[in-house]
Amino acid sequence: VLFIVLNERQTVSEQLTAYELLQNTFEEARAMNLNNISERTIEKNGTEYSLYSQTTSELHMQICVQWNGRNGRSYEECGVAHYD
């Protein structure tokens, strides 16, 4: 039972890191007036996160982060920026 709890805590920690990476990337893109980002990989706390973007229209950009969790599962989180 202890292993499962620790494993789930690690998964939550990885997800929070992914959200932080998305937030930072959106702020960077907005500050530099970018409508897409270069695909890149970032390593944090032993986990590799892959960031990429897709321009869905002139006013929308989707940024996603993918990673393989320490529990062996694949994850992806995405967000959309709206430009006025």
Side-chain angles (χ1 to χ4, degrees):
V1 174
L2 181 60
F3 177 74
I4 292 171
V5 170
L6 292 176
N7 204 12
E8 288 303 314
R9 280 190 182 170
Q10 181 64 44
T11 300
V12 170
S13 177
E14 290 169 344
Q15 192 167 31
L16 290 174
T17 298
Y19 290 145
E20 178 184 343
L21 290 171
L22 281 175
Q23 178 67 32
N24 292 344
T25 304
F26 275 115
E27 288 177 6
E28 174 187 324
R30 185 175 200 103
M32 299 176 72
N33 291 323
L34 301 174
N35 62 358
N36 64 27
I37 62 164
S38 300
E39 191 170 322
R40 59 183 177 248
T41 301
I42 298 172
E43 188 274 327
K44 285 196 124 189
N45 301 322
T47 301
E48 285 192 357
Y49 298 86
S50 297
L51 285 155
Y52 65 93
S53 69
Q54 299 174 343
T55 303
T56 57
S57 76
E58 289 183 21
L59 300 176
H60 298 92
M61 174 179 57
Q62 178 176 327
I63 299 176
C64 296
V65 59
Q66 294 179 326
W67 74 98
N68 291 318
R70 290 192 184 178
N71 62 5
R73 296 181 188 154
S74 296
Y75 294 92
E76 180 179 55
E77 295 289 343
C78 297
V80 176
H82 303 275
Y83 298 104
D84 299 325

